[in-house]
Amino acid sequence: MEKLVIIPTYNEKDNIRKIIAAVFDLDQNFHVLIIDDGSPDGTGAIVKELQVANAGRLFLEERTGKLGLGTAYIHGFKWALARGYAYIFEMDADFSHPPKDLIRLYNACAHEGADVSVGSRYVKGGATENWPWDRAALSYGASVYVRLITWLPVKDGTAGFVCYKREVLEAINLDEIQFVGYAFQIEMKFTAWKLGFKIKEVPITFVERVEGYSKMSKNIVKEGVFGVLKIQWQSLFRKYTRRVKSAA
């Protein structure tokens, strides 16, 4: 019960078998929790089938309807904390986050002094592959924008490949995390930083998905743009830290 990888899914039937197998093939005792938002393509049914051969290490939480990335991770965080996991990971189902790099994220937190480790495209050694120029420009521009507005000392603030020590998630009032899309990843890192936790970036190569479809939308980008401003504005007031810090 040490390491849990949370993977939110919506219509990922083309990837789900392969991504679960890739995590287990690492042979590093990672457990996997799938949070499926009622995928009409049968993603949840595939996971249930795989659970038969992976009892005790593959778990499924099914939700009704597409409720958003952020709420999926919050659900997963609470599930993991209730069961005593020490290291909780976020990862996409589409192989944009290389499963082998879970080990490096774990080592950063377990052995190298980090409280949060981030799989980063924008530190030395990081890269992206198979992205069109406009997507690459949007992503890099967003990372610069986040740093300029929030002063967050993370070069890839929007990254979704992350490891949290349980102490970080226990310290955050997860019910006060406001955003569900693009800004969720920024808000979680920002909150951890404001609460005094150490964040370390680990270079990864982010690869554009081959199977399935991207969930990016104009509304997600809009949330990111205005969400960053909202986060920073709120943080200027003393009550912000009291609100986001867990009473426990």
Side-chain angles (χ1 to χ4, degrees), residues 202-221:
V202 175
I204 67 160
T205 297
F206 182 100
V207 181
E208 177 68 340
R209 70 159 61 230
V210 175
E211 305 285 353
Y213 299 93
S214 171
K215 310 303 189 296
M216 184 64 68
S217 69
K218 290 182 179 179
N219 285 338
I220 290 175
V221 174

Side-chain angles (χ1 to χ4, degrees), residues 6 9 15 93 155 159-160 175 180 184 242:
I6 302 171
T9 56
N15 290 307
K155 291 186 177 180
D175 292 328
V180 299
F184 168 79
R242 293 197 300 270

Side-chain angles (χ1 to χ4, degrees), residues 95-154:
F95 284 91
S96 56
H97 302 145
K100 63 182 176 62
D101 287 330
L102 286 167
I103 299 170
R104 297 169 62 226
L105 293 182
Y106 168 74
N107 286 336
C109 285
H111 306 300
E112 298 168 11
D115 300 305
V116 181
S117 57
V118 178
S120 178
R121 297 160 287 191
Y122 303 126
V123 292
K124 185 177 180 180
T128 61
E129 284 186 3
N130 302 326
W131 264 12
W133 71 268
D134 55 341
R135 177 77 184 276
L138 175 64
S139 175
Y140 184 73
S143 69
V144 173
Y145 172 73
V146 169
R147 279 183 284 151
L148 286 174
I149 299 298
T150 66
W151 314 323
L152 177 68
V154 175

